[in-house]
Amino acid sequence: MKKMIIFAVILIVLFGALGFVVNYQNQQQSEGNPYGKDSLHSATIDQLDDPNYQNQILPDELDEKIASGEAITVYFYDPTCPHCQQTTPEVVPMTDDLGVELKKLNVLEFEDAWNTYQIEATPTIVHFEDGQEAARIRGGIGADLERQAEFEAFFEDNVLEE
């Protein structure tokens, strides 16, 4: 009986220490992040250094840009979404090649964005002009060449200056 109690205490201490270490690591990685939050979902933390997920925009910043009438193109994504995970490595280089500045908004971290910007699914790209939505494309790309062409046409027709 005594050995069982000692074993239980050791187990509790180990789980407590593990929980502390994980929480501490999450806080360390969350500090100075582009999301302005004290804690982040682990899927977001995993993408902090990924070049495809830079150029983040916060909802307040986006609201200011829309209100000012400034043209802005935003990629609404969820780090846990398999379609986003396939689409991001296709879309980001495409926009870089086209010279499109693509802001990214993580709906996992900012859940109000779903309703605020009428996001029905991820990934969704919305182009705003003159204080309102001007164009939208929804869904993933994957290896589908026709779909890649649709995305290119979206950027060329709606975002690029003529």
Side-chain angles (χ1 to χ4, degrees):
M1 181 73 169
K2 189 175 181 181
K3 287 183 182 180
M4 200 157 130
I5 292 172
I6 292 172
F7 180 73
V9 168
I10 290 172
L11 209 60
I12 291 170
V13 168
L14 285 175
F15 278 117
L18 181 62
F20 173 79
V21 168
V22 168
N23 188 36
Y24 179 75
Q25 285 178 334
N26 285 344
Q27 284 180 340
Q28 289 299 100
Q29 290 177 330
S30 296
E31 289 178 12
N33 67 66
Y35 299 94
K37 297 175 76 177
D38 292 334
S39 68
L40 300 171
H41 290 87
S42 61
T44 299
I45 291 171
D46 292 344
Q47 294 178 340
L48 284 175
D49 294 327
D50 187 328
N52 286 325
Y53 294 95
Q54 304 307 306
N55 207 21
Q56 294 287 323
I57 190 163
L58 303 178
D60 290 344
E61 292 175 86
L62 178 55
D63 291 342
E64 287 175 19
K65 291 203 180 274
I66 292 170
S68 75
E70 188 176 332
I72 185 168
T73 307
V74 183
Y75 178 61
F76 294 90
Y77 73 98
D78 180 332
T80 63
C81 164
H83 301 290
C84 297
Q85 292 166 1
Q86 291 177 338
T87 300
T88 304
E90 299 291 330
V91 166
V92 171
M94 179 188 300
T95 57
D96 288 346
D97 290 346
L98 293 170
V100 172
E101 182 180 3
L102 185 66
K103 294 290 190 175
K104 287 124 190 147
L105 198 147
N106 181 336
V107 297
L108 181 63
E109 295 299 334
F110 301 104
E111 293 179 2
D112 290 346
W114 288 96
N115 291 329
T116 304
Y117 306 104
Q118 292 89 43
I119 305 302
E120 297 173 0
T122 55
T124 295
I125 299 173
V126 181
H127 180 68
F128 299 93
E129 279 184 22
D130 300 321
Q132 60 189 4
E133 181 178 325
R136 172 183 297 237
I137 189 167
R138 179 174 72 189
I141 292 181
D144 182 350
L145 294 178
E146 274 186 42
R147 192 70 174 137
Q148 289 177 0
E150 286 177 41
F151 272 74
E152 275 190 47
F154 170 84
F155 292 118
E156 289 170 354
D157 295 345
N158 300 295
V159 181
L160 295 173
E161 300 286 327
E162 292 183 25

